[in-house]
């Protein structure tokens, strides 16, 4: 169910000064704020100063009665804001300013901030599900295994300097020696066996701005979608990607697809796997993952991908 924006819409823009490769950031955000003020919005701007600061500022905004918090940054900044808004009446909005900007792309936003702001001004409001990994909420996805190892090995300096290329570079370097492991993996209590290279747990569809590992995911169905990629090593991964691009889940014996409410991953014989959420390294297994239905209000601009909603699929 979608609702119109209230009159005198009150928003706080939280921006990460270190995100992406944008220059003259504050002046651009001032122009965005003025564009929204011209439409009758009340707009404040706040910069983050340290990791976790966006979560604190989002919590404070929710307590102060702001209608929305706009995360101006990458998906990491969006994730921090989400963790401050869960269970409140304050909605999440976004302006693309990061390396990949997956959520902004899911919402159909231009990578030009002023054009994105124009689209955001025409938003509606709705509630969606999120996932939780350990005690960290995620909006997009959690990754366990190879992709998390890549994420863990990239520095913030590399991300800022190289952008998405930093991920490609590091993935090529790690792929040669990365080997599948056999963890204790249970999906809604069902044991999944075999050598596993990577598990993607998706609340939404898009991964890395290009691939849809969890192409069947919707953000209002009370479920998480799970793509399990198996194999001895990453040299077999290109074949698995072909199956995923073609959405031939479960036709390839080394790609399995599930929908579930809870996922448990434990290492065997002391082995652990790295974990990332929304593109940032979180920690290592053992870890539990579950869906948290109808827990986040979001702003939905007109060009958002409607296949993300179960109701839109009919």
């Amino acid at each position: 169910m979608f609702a119109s924006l209230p009159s005198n819409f009150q928003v706080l823009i939280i921006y990460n000064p270190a995100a992406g490769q944008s220059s003259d950031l504050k002046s651009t955000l001032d122009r965005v704020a003025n564009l929204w003020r011209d439409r009758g919005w009340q707009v404040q701007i706040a910069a983050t100063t340290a990791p976790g600061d966006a979560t604190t500022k989002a919590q404070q905004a929710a307590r102060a009665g702001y209608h929305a918090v706009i995360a101006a940054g990458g998906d990491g900044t969006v994730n921090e804001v989400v963790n401050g808004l869960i269970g409140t009446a304050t909605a999440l909005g976004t302006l693309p300013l990061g390396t990949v900007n997956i959520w902004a792309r899911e919402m159909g936003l231009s990578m030009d901030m002023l054009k994105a702001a124009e689209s955001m001004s025409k938003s509606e409001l709705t509630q969606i599900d999120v996932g939780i990994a350990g005690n960290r909420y995620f909006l997009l996805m959690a990754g366990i295994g190879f992709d998390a190892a890549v994420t863990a090995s990239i520095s913030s300096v590399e991300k800022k300097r190289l952008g998405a290329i930093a991920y490609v570079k590091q993935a090529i370097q790690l792929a040669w020696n990365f080997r599948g492991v056999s963890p204790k993996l249970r999906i809604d209590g069902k044991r999944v066996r075999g050598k596993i290279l990577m598990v993607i747990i998706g609340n939404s569809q898009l991964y890395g701005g290009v691939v849809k590992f969890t192409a069947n995911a919707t953000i209002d169905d009370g479920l998480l979608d799970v793509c399990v990629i198996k194999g001895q090593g990453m040299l077999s991964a290109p074949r698995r990607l072909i199956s995923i691009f073609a959405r031939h889940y479960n036709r390839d014996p080394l790609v399995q697809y599930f929908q579930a409410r809870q996922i448990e991953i434990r290492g065997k014989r002391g082995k652990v796997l790295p974990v990332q959420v929304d593109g940032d390294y979180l920690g290592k297994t053992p870890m539990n993952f579950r869906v948290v239905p109808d827990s986040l209000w979001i702003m939905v601009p007109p060009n958002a991908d409607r296949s993300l909603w179960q109701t839109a699929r009919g």
Side-chain angles (χ1 to χ4, degrees):
M1 181 177 177
F2 292 85
S4 300
L5 300 184
S7 59
N8 299 318
F9 196 54
Q10 187 176 8
V11 304
L12 175 66
I13 301 173
I14 297 178
Y15 76 97
N16 178 3
Q21 298 163 307
S22 177
S23 60
D24 300 323
L25 172 58
K26 183 57 169 60
S27 63
T28 302
L29 289 175
D30 286 337
R31 292 172 66 191
V32 167
N34 288 332
L35 184 154
W36 287 340
R37 288 172 184 139
D38 288 344
R39 284 155 176 74
W41 294 16
Q42 300 175 43
V43 185
Q44 301 295 324
I45 304 174
T48 60
T49 57
D53 195 28
T55 298
T56 301
K57 283 180 165 53
Q59 290 170 334
Q60 292 169 344
R63 287 195 293 268
Y66 279 81
H67 293 115
V69 173
I70 311 297
D75 292 306
T77 302
V78 173
N79 179 272
E80 285 198 15
V81 170
V82 165
N83 275 268
L85 296 183
I86 296 297
T88 75
T90 302
L92 167 75
T94 189
L95 289 170
L97 188 62
T99 305
V100 183
N101 303 301
I102 297 173
W103 183 245
R105 295 177 190 277
E106 295 273 35
M107 292 295 100
L109 293 174
S110 166
M111 294 300 105
D112 178 284
M113 281 227 290
L114 289 173
K115 290 180 180 177
E118 179 66 33
S119 295
M120 290 298 297
S121 70
K122 302 170 186 174
S123 293
E124 296 178 297
L125 300 174
T126 194
Q127 274 184 301
I128 65 167
D129 310 331
V130 299
I132 187 167
N135 60 4
R136 184 76 181 178
Y137 294 101
F138 61 92
L139 175 63
L140 303 167
M141 47 59 192
I144 304 98
F146 177 72
D147 77 319
V150 172
T151 300
S153 64
I154 298 175
S155 69
S156 58
V157 174
E158 284 182 300
K159 285 174 67 174
K160 188 172 181 64
R161 183 168 60 89
L162 299 175
I165 295 173
Y167 290 91
V168 176
K169 174 176 170 285
Q170 201 61 31
I172 292 170
Q173 291 177 348
L174 291 180
W176 296 101
N177 297 316
F178 195 87
R179 295 290 176 265
V181 299
S182 299
K184 294 180 179 177
L185 171 60
R186 293 187 181 276
I187 299 176
D188 275 352
K190 179 183 177 181
R191 180 72 182 272
V192 178
R193 301 178 186 276
K195 293 273 188 183
I196 291 173
L197 294 168
M198 187 163 68
V199 180
I200 300 297
I201 301 172
N203 183 51
S204 64
Q205 299 174 12
L206 197 58
Y207 179 97
V210 179
V211 186
K212 290 190 174 185
F213 283 102
T214 52
N216 297 332
T218 54
I219 53 180
D220 63 344
D221 62 353
L223 297 168
L224 296 171
D225 284 40
V226 187
C227 184
V228 180
I229 302 171
K230 299 181 179 181
Q232 294 288 337
M234 288 303 295
L235 293 181
S236 67
R239 295 182 183 178
R240 310 290 76 80
L241 285 175
I242 291 171
S243 298
I244 291 164
F245 274 120
R247 301 186 188 180
H248 290 166
Y249 309 113
N250 301 324
R251 296 188 200 177
D252 183 332
L254 297 182
V255 178
Q256 289 183 276
Y257 196 100
F258 305 87
Q259 291 184 312
R261 291 179 174 82
Q262 184 164 324
I263 301 96
E264 306 168 41
I265 302 181
R266 302 282 184 275
K268 272 187 177 180
R269 294 182 289 277
K271 290 185 178 181
V272 296
L273 289 168
V275 179
Q276 62 88 5
V277 294
D278 289 351
D280 283 338
Y281 178 68
L282 178 64
K284 297 178 179 178
T285 57
M287 195 173 292
N288 291 344
F289 307 79
R290 62 181 175 84
V291 67
V292 189
D294 295 330
S295 53
L296 178 69
W297 282 94
I298 63 167
M299 297 176 65
V300 184
N303 292 331
D305 183 353
R306 296 292 163 160
S307 73
L308 289 167
W309 279 267
Q310 188 178 45
T311 50
R313 294 185 174 187

